[in-house]
Amino acid sequence: MMTKSITISSKLDSSQSPVALFVQLASKFKSQILVQTGNKTVNAKSIMGVMTLDFTQGSQMDVSAEGADEQDAIEGITAFLCK
């Protein structure tokens, strides 16, 4: 299992749903991916779970991935949130 702490530095376009784009990205990976903010942990492939998180610039979260493509998953999510 890999875990990385991320501070969102990307200005996510509000004309597109950043939550939907995030879940679509996470769903491309075979690994189980969890996102934690504060004391809340959700499945990154669950739009309902991810909708409860703060996806604004400057927000901090821990992203964990476990599976065959866990490194690619962490790198992809980091690139999306920190571009």
Side-chain angles (χ1 to χ4, degrees):
M1 176 179 272
M2 295 182 65
T3 301
K4 184 170 184 175
S5 294
I6 297 172
T7 300
I8 298 175
S9 58
S10 174
K11 279 193 170 185
L12 300 173
D13 185 354
S14 61
S15 67
Q16 299 176 333
S17 171
V19 170
L21 294 174
F22 179 84
V23 171
Q24 288 173 0
L25 173 63
S27 296
K28 291 180 180 181
F29 299 102
K30 294 180 181 181
S31 295
Q32 177 185 13
I33 305 169
L34 300 174
V35 181
Q36 180 177 358
T37 58
N39 60 355
K40 183 183 288 188
T41 302
V42 301
N43 179 344
K45 298 178 184 181
S46 165
I47 195 153
M48 296 303 288
V50 176
M51 286 176 63
T52 66
L53 303 177
D54 182 15
F55 264 77
T56 57
Q57 193 173 21
S59 298
Q60 295 182 340
M61 60 181 58
D62 292 330
V63 179
S64 301
E66 184 172 14
D69 58 356
E70 61 189 30
Q71 184 170 352
D72 291 336
I74 295 288
E75 290 173 1
I77 289 171
T78 300
F80 176 76
L81 295 175
C82 299
K83 57 181 169 181

